[in-house]
Amino acid sequence: MMAFTGRYLQSARDVYPWRENMNVLIKNGTIVTETSIFKSDILTDGEKIKAVGINLTPETADTDVIDAAGKYILPGAIDVHTHLAMPFGGTVSSDDYFAGTRAAACGGTTTVFDFAMQDFGESLLDTVLRRDKICAPDAAVDYAFHVGVKDISGDLLNTIKDAVDFGVPSFKVFMVYDFGVSDGVFYELLSKSKAFNALISVHAENKEIISFLTDKFISEGKTSAYYHYLSRPEFCEEEAVTRAIAWAKANNSALYIVHLACKGGAEAIAQAKREGVKIFAETCPQYLEYNSEVYKRDDAKNFVCSPPMKNEDSRQAIIKALQSGIIDTVATDHCPFKLSEKEWGKDDFRKIPNGCNGVENMYPFMLSLAGEGVISYSRAVEVCSYNPAKIFGCADSKGSLAPGKDADIVIYDPEKTFTVTQEKMHSDNDHTIWEGKELRGYLEKVFSRGTLVYDNGNFMGKRGYGRFVKRQLTIYD
Ligand code: URP
Ligand code: ZN
Ligand code: ZN
């Protein structure tokens, strides 16, 4: 292949002939599954994995053979929590569907879930169709939606069925923000979710307490980004997680808790799981890496997200919950804003748009944790790929390397190292909270349904290649 020295390609066609759904034989690699690691070859046939085994040979003349000796072969990651082109905080998150999925591809994430936010009065299927119109022409990797629910008045509740039938069986409610739902709406959604074969997820923080503390700090002239953290303290998330679990229990329904960041929340989830409640928990790399000390830094505003990074005790508890299986998935909450937008809040933390980047860094970060021995490589695969596919109903095609599944394959060198810098990133944002982070291991190649979408630092994919992933839940089976 020709050398390429640019930052990234807008299209692989700039340099290479575009070859979709290739036949590839990856030889001598080490396959990592959610349960085991073993030496094996892997053969793809167009979009699908054809065979996994030793001593495989090319079956067609046009099969590309790649020697992966010393490399790990992983299923592409699935980031079930991104906000692309999302109107929020007085602006729109800075990665559109192309930029966000381009960054995903370059981070080994071959499926991205985005939140389609309902407009008031809009049917939940119309929400999906409206967002799909923008996403479909732009997505560079496969994508799915959750619907962010705001309004179930009148007959809107029953439009859940239409969204589920269309292949979008997951819905999120926010207990915070001006578009957050009331306790009654959340409760009603939980009570109906099983009958619709739908899964409700929740952003759990206590809105009233946040509002009280925010007003208090502002009236005392405490306006720096550190007060974003202090206005959303540990107990504020713990209380909301506990309350949400109580309602799931009362309804005998499943519940998925997004971006868990606090120790008390992890303990409540552990207890609920012990009691047999169908609770799933997600955390994000930023809560594993950073604590609330970041809000004392000069660039504190860049770390403003909700829930905020918590104290060290919480960070350690989240790491333990990841290790012990209390956490089911890791996703990014990718919702980047430009430096100039973050700057809006330099004298008033309320004006800082909430959200950080992460979609390109999740898999490399989690695999680096595995390289350091914090978790195993199999656990990294489980929380970043296998469990997301299983929980959100796309395990028939995604989340593992088995014959018949989509050829979403990552070739990874565990011996190389990589330092994250903004110049090497493929997002449209102008900074990264991961700046300077040294990672063990390096992504060499990423295939999405048999198509090379990333190669050694370069985006190789194409706008519009990504396909909608139609899903059906099996969590109630
Ligand atoms: O700060 C965050 N997390 N922004 C995105 C919206 C959300 O709460 O998930
Ligand atoms: Zn949230
Ligand atoms: Zn989010």
Side-chain angles (χ1 to χ4, degrees):
M1 280 188 169
M2 285 162 70
F4 174 72
T5 53
R7 183 173 158 220
Y8 56 78
L9 299 171
Q10 283 297 319
S11 159
R13 287 198 183 118
D14 293 352
V15 174
Y16 304 101
W18 174 255
R19 281 179 61 204
E20 219 159 281
N21 316 128
M22 299 153 65
N23 298 332
V24 183
L25 175 57
I26 303 169
K27 285 203 67 74
N28 311 315
T30 300
I31 289 188
V32 184
T33 76
E34 75 287 357
T35 51
S36 57
I37 300 191
F38 53 92
K39 288 235 177 327
S40 179
D41 302 338
I42 180 163
L43 178 68
T44 73
D45 177 12
E47 297 195 354
K48 299 286 180 188
I49 293 169
K50 183 158 191 204
V52 175
I54 48 169
N55 297 328
L56 298 180
T57 50
E59 292 183 0
T60 57
D62 67 348
T63 300
D64 282 24
V65 181
I66 297 172
D67 181 15
K71 310 286 160 57
Y72 285 163
I73 314 300
L74 315 156
I78 301 172
D79 186 347
V80 293
H81 191 151
T82 70
H83 303 272
L84 303 178
M86 181 192 183
F88 191 51
T91 180
V92 177
S93 61
S94 59
D95 276 339
D96 63 14
Y97 285 107
F98 180 48
T101 52
R102 180 181 66 209
C106 297
T109 289
T110 47
T111 309
V112 164
F113 282 54
D114 180 59
F115 287 93
M117 299 301 298
Q118 181 194 20
D119 282 337
F120 285 92
E122 186 179 43
S123 93
L124 298 173
L125 178 58
D126 285 347
T127 304
V128 171
L129 298 176
R130 175 168 57 78
R131 287 307 275 186
D132 192 42
K133 266 199 197 120
I134 327 174
C135 184
D138 270 4
V141 296
D142 291 351
Y143 62 93
F145 295 109
H146 312 284
V147 183
V149 180
K150 297 179 184 171
D151 182 8
I152 53 165
S153 62
D155 204 35
L156 290 178
L157 177 66
N158 292 321
T159 67
I160 288 185
K161 183 181 179 328
D162 305 324
V164 171
D165 290 347
F166 187 76
V168 178
S170 46
F171 303 84
K172 177 179 177 186
V173 295
F174 294 80
M175 293 167 93
V176 289
Y177 306 138
D178 51 1
F179 51 82
V181 300
S182 68
D183 292 355
V185 166
F186 181 17
Y187 188 90
E188 187 172 4
L189 280 165
L190 286 171
S191 73
K192 301 278 164 57
S193 56
K194 193 172 176 182
F196 283 123
N197 200 23
L199 176 60
I200 307 297
S201 62
V202 63
H203 173 143
E205 288 182 293
N206 185 308
K207 187 174 174 172
E208 294 296 320
I209 290 173
I210 293 167
S211 169
F212 169 75
L213 289 173
T214 301
D215 291 350
K216 177 177 169 310
F217 290 135
I218 293 291
S219 71
E220 293 168 353
K222 294 170 176 166
T223 58
S224 73
Y226 191 58
Y227 290 93
H228 171 75
Y229 161 60
L230 291 183
S231 65
R232 310 176 97 97
E234 314 286 327
F235 68 85
C236 173
E237 184 184 353
E238 176 186 345
E239 184 277 339
V241 167
T242 308
R243 197 156 30 110
I245 291 172
W247 298 341
K249 259 165 93 171
N251 284 298
N252 197 20
S253 66
L255 176 65
Y256 181 94
I257 292 168
V258 302
H259 50 42
L260 182 76
C262 71
K263 181 179 179 178
E267 286 168 353
I269 290 162
Q271 175 60 24
K273 286 191 175 201
R274 280 194 293 272
E275 290 170 22
V277 188
K278 216 184 266 287
I279 299 286
F280 304 103
E282 163 199 290
T283 194
C284 310
Q286 56 270 33
Y287 304 121
L288 295 164
E289 175 69 5
Y290 299 115
N291 65 24
S292 51
E293 290 298 298
V294 292
Y295 298 112
K296 295 178 180 165
R297 288 168 45 158
D298 289 345
D299 59 350
K301 64 182 188 311
N302 300 343
F303 291 85
V304 166
C305 59
S306 294
M309 290 16 138
K310 298 288 193 346
N311 63 27
E312 183 58 16
D313 208 20
S314 273
R315 188 180 81 90
Q316 291 299 336
I318 296 296
I319 293 171
K320 283 207 183 75
L322 172 72
Q323 291 167 326
S324 67
I326 301 304
I327 301 276
D328 297 285
T329 65
V330 172
T332 63
D333 198 8
H334 182 82
C335 189
F337 295 99
K338 294 265 159 88
L339 285 169
S340 58
E341 295 165 332
K342 290 283 192 183
E343 198 62 25
W344 292 341
K346 68 179 176 3
D347 299 320
D348 183 344
F349 66 86
R350 294 174 302 179
K351 297 186 180 146
I352 305 171
N354 286 199
C356 304
N357 70 302
V359 73
E360 190 166 353
N361 310 103
M362 175 180 81
Y363 216 18
F365 173 77
M366 295 304 295
L367 293 165
S368 181
L369 285 187
E372 291 163 29
V374 177
I375 52 172
S376 67
Y377 284 102
S378 284
R379 181 74 177 136
V381 164
E382 184 179 34
V383 293
C384 294
S385 184
Y386 181 80
N387 281 352
K390 207 170 77 168
I391 294 167
F392 286 107
C394 53
D396 54 336
S397 58
K398 306 288 187 192
S400 52
L401 299 177
K405 308 264 175 169
D406 285 354
D408 295 343
I409 302 172
V410 170
I411 303 181
Y412 179 77
D413 186 340
E415 298 303 330
K416 270 196 190 170
T417 55
F418 178 71
T419 303
V420 178
T421 60
Q422 172 59 20
E423 302 80 66
K424 292 184 206 150
M425 296 293 100
H426 298 80
S427 137
D428 270 353
N429 206 30
D430 56 3
H431 68 282
T432 168
I433 61 166
W434 296 95
E435 186 71 40
K437 175 70 189 167
E438 287 174 17
L439 298 172
R440 285 199 192 199
Y442 182 69
L443 298 184
E444 279 204 347
K445 289 186 182 356
V446 178
F447 294 88
S448 161
R449 280 183 287 104
T451 298
L452 186 69
V453 290
Y454 161 89
D455 193 4
N456 279 291
N458 297 314
F459 175 61
M460 302 295 296
K462 164 169 102 159
R463 193 189 281 271
Y465 170 76
R467 195 187 279 166
F468 173 71
V469 181
K470 190 173 158 68
R471 298 176 291 122
Q472 187 175 14
L473 298 185
T474 55
I475 55 170
Y476 300 109
D477 293 354

